[in-house]
């Protein structure tokens, strides 16, 4: 039995999948957080939060590196950790620093830091010749406006240090650019109390479909598990409205996406102790890296992969965090594709009703999750405002995506706000 230190977590599905994978692997974990109440607020009705299955729950300021690392060293002398992990983007660099400080398995902290900063990722990949969009990074308005004119409208504005598509916007002119930059300026601290970097990332708007490449890195070797497709909506925002695994692509496009992701991971140095989710645009000029995420995919993509291949990416994450070779053999499953669709609110208000619970018993449905009446709803501007999802599997081929769209249409017809 191994003992892992889990440094913070998300409050969504990975907060359940990761503790489950630790437990099913015969291991245990200590949970470290700056604010336990942040997680208790999200506990399912009538159920304890799975993070409370931890062997220990320790409170410390996970945002203060200088103070935290000596504390962790003292804890390690008593509790003896075998690995360190987190599922939260904002704490991936901290987890890597802790592992390095304790001499435990993991990726180079500087590599993780670069992957978690969109501007640093762009610079590393550009220097290595890995294809991506034309880009610029600036803080001052005059520089931002000038760089936007040089790149050309339309373009994309991004914060360098947020996730879930927050404040990522398509920009068609300088007036829209000014509004987007002002919105970022008015959001100086993220949801975990960390002060944001004020830099603004401008990128060329890429054409073509977007996919993600799911990989597992161990001992210098990177294994591709598969390629997931992605649907995007909510313009001018870029909201993930659904996914299917495996992506229904020609073999040449699949190969191109995989090779581009592998080149990006090699350039960043993410070749050991990482389960990664690398997003790639298949443009008319060839594949281009959108971003590299040095952690398992969110939005239930790991479950799509498991349903189709039998490979458990959460379990693989646990094993590589312990420096162990993960089992990626998978196994026989009944499905050839699995897809998920998200119910994205188009308006704000209070959820009066959302019918569709009977779809749980519909053919092929693997999961159905719906918000409860009374939920406060905000028109979606990122991946944080979903009102639910439906997941479907198809045993016959690549039909899961079409089936999901039909069921989502039924759910939308039963959505009433007031």
């Amino acid at each position: 039995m191994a003992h892992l230190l889990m440094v913070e977590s998300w409050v969504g599905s990975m907060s359940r999948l990761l503790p489950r994978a630790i437990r099913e692997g015969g291991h245990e974990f200590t949970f470290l957080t700056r604010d336990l109440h942040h997680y208790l607020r999200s506990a399912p009705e009538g159920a304890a939060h799975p993070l409370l299955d931890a062997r220990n729950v320790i409170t410390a300021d996970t945002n203060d590196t200088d103070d935290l690392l000596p504390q962790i060293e003292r804890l390690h002398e008593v509790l003896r950790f075998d690995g360190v992990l987190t599922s939260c983007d904002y704490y991936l660099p901290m987890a890597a620093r802790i592992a390095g400080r304790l001499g435990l398995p993991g990726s180079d902290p500087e590599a993780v830091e670069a992957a978690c900063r969109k501007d640093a990722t762009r610079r590393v990949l550009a220097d290595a010749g890995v294809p991506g969009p034309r880009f610029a990074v600036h803080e001052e308005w005059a520089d931002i406006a000038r760089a936007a004119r040089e790149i050309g409208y339309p373009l994309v504005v991004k914060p360098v240090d947020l996730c879930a598509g927050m404040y990522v916007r398509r920009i068609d002119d300088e007036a829209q650019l000014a509004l987007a930059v002002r919105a970022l300026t008015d959001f100086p601290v993220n949801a975990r109390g960390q002060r944001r970097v004020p830099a603004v990332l401008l990128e060329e708007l890429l054409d073509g479909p977007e996919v993600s490449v799911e990989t597992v890195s161990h001992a210098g070797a990177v294994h591709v598990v598969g390629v997931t497709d992605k649907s995007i909506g909510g313009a001018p925002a870029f909201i993930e409205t659904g996914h299917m695994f495996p992506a229904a692509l020609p073999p040449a496009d699949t190969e191109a996406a995989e090779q581009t992701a592998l080149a990006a991971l090699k350039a960043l140095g993410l070749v050991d102790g990482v389960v990664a989710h690398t997003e790639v645009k298949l443009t008319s000029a060839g594949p281009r890296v959108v971003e590299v995420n040095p952690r398992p995919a969110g939005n239930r993509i790991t479950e799509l992969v498991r349903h189709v291949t039998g490979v458990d990416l959460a379990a693989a994450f646990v094993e590589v965090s312990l420096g162990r070779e993960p089992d990626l053999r998978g196994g026989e499953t009944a499905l050839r594709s699995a897809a998920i669709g998200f119910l994205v609110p188009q308006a704000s208000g209070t959820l009066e009703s959302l019918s569709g619970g009977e779809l749980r018993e519909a053919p092929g449905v693997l999961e159905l999750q719906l918000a409860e009446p009374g939920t406060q709803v905000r028109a979606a501007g990122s991946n944080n405002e979903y009102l639910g999802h439906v997941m479907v599997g198809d045993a016959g081929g690549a039909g899961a995506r079409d089936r999901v769209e039909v069921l989502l249409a039924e759910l939308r017809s039963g959505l009433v706000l007031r």
Side-chain angles (χ1 to χ4, degrees):
M1 174 186 287
H3 183 197
L4 290 120
L5 175 65
M6 187 186 299
V7 184
E8 303 286 3
S9 173
W10 285 125
V11 296
S13 63
M14 193 53 67
S15 70
R16 291 158 175 76
L17 293 174
L18 201 51
R20 184 212 71 197
I22 292 171
R23 182 178 65 254
E24 292 181 356
H27 312 308
E28 58 185 0
F29 70 98
T30 286
F31 185 56
L32 178 69
T33 178
R34 64 190 291 270
D35 180 13
L36 184 59
H37 185 62
H38 180 83
Y39 301 94
L40 298 180
R41 287 197 305 266
S42 68
E45 186 69 26
H49 197 287
L51 293 174
L52 296 183
D53 287 338
R55 170 176 154 185
N56 310 288
V57 176
I58 297 172
T59 301
D61 189 351
T62 50
N63 290 344
D64 187 336
T65 302
D66 292 339
D67 186 59
L68 182 64
L69 290 177
Q71 289 188 61
I72 296 300
E73 286 183 313
R74 292 192 293 271
L75 285 172
H76 183 53
E77 292 175 0
V78 178
L79 300 178
R80 305 309 303 174
F81 303 118
D82 300 296
V84 186
L85 46 59
T86 181
S87 67
C88 181
D89 297 59
Y90 298 138
Y91 294 97
L92 289 164
M94 178 64 80
R97 288 192 203 103
I98 292 171
R101 183 75 164 254
L102 300 182
L104 297 175
S107 282
D108 175 59
E110 292 185 0
V112 176
E113 180 82 43
C116 291
R117 277 281 301 268
K118 295 179 177 65
D119 54 337
T121 299
R122 284 278 166 253
R123 293 185 180 107
V124 170
L125 298 189
D127 288 346
V130 179
R134 290 179 293 118
F135 72 96
V137 185
H138 294 289
E139 295 187 16
E140 300 300 327
W141 167 250
D143 296 327
I144 293 170
R146 182 181 64 254
R149 291 190 295 270
E150 292 171 353
I151 292 173
Y153 295 102
L155 50 76
V156 180
V157 163
K158 295 181 178 181
V160 300
D161 54 1
L162 292 175
C163 54
M166 293 182 66
Y167 294 94
V168 178
R169 296 291 184 270
R170 172 185 166 130
I171 303 298
D172 292 303
D173 55 41
E174 192 164 299
Q176 292 180 6
L177 178 64
L179 290 173
V181 171
R182 188 175 304 121
L184 278 173
T185 301
D186 291 342
F187 192 72
V189 178
N190 69 24
R192 298 306 182 98
Q194 298 169 336
R195 183 154 293 278
R196 293 192 49 254
V197 176
V200 175
L201 175 61
L202 307 175
E203 292 182 355
E204 168 192 9
L205 180 66
L206 299 173
D207 63 2
E210 186 171 327
V211 299
S212 62
V213 183
E214 323 307 337
T215 56
V216 179
S217 302
H218 173 69
V222 184
H223 178 87
V224 175
V225 177
V227 178
T228 311
D229 79 3
K230 178 186 296 186
S231 58
I232 302 292
F238 295 83
I239 300 172
E240 297 179 359
T241 60
H243 304 277
M244 186 172 78
F245 183 89
L249 296 172
D253 285 348
T254 298
E255 175 71 11
E258 292 177 354
Q259 292 304 314
T260 301
L262 291 173
L265 292 168
K266 181 179 179 181
L268 286 163
L270 296 172
V271 295
D272 191 22
V274 177
V275 176
H277 169 72
T278 303
E279 296 173 347
V280 176
K281 273 272 195 180
L282 299 173
T283 79
S284 56
R288 299 288 185 269
V289 174
V290 176
E291 63 183 43
V292 179
N293 300 282
R295 42 81 178 159
N299 271 353
R300 305 294 285 173
I301 290 173
T302 57
E303 291 303 278
L304 300 182
V305 172
R306 185 177 63 83
H307 281 301
V308 175
T309 68
V311 174
D312 187 337
L313 289 172
F317 185 34
V318 171
E319 292 306 302
V320 297
S321 298
L322 292 168
R324 301 177 181 180
E325 183 174 1
D327 183 359
L328 301 176
R329 293 171 297 176
E332 291 292 328
T333 74
L335 301 179
R336 293 184 61 190
S337 69
I340 188 168
F342 300 99
L343 192 58
V344 180
Q346 306 298 315
S348 300
T350 301
L351 182 61
E352 185 169 299
S353 64
L354 179 53
S355 58
E358 69 280 359
L359 296 181
R360 296 181 197 280
E361 307 304 322
V365 171
L366 302 171
E367 294 180 9
L368 179 67
Q369 179 179 310
L370 302 175
E372 294 293 330
T375 298
Q376 295 301 304
V377 179
R378 182 172 61 180
S382 71
N383 299 334
N384 293 325
E385 287 90 27
Y386 299 137
L387 289 178
H389 70 258
V390 59
M391 184 187 294
V392 168
D394 179 22
R401 162 76 75 184
D402 291 342
R403 176 65 174 150
V404 157
E405 292 301 329
V406 170
L407 297 180
L408 272 180
E410 291 187 38
L411 291 174
R412 292 189 194 102
S413 68
L415 172 62
V416 179
L417 296 179
R418 56 177 168 81

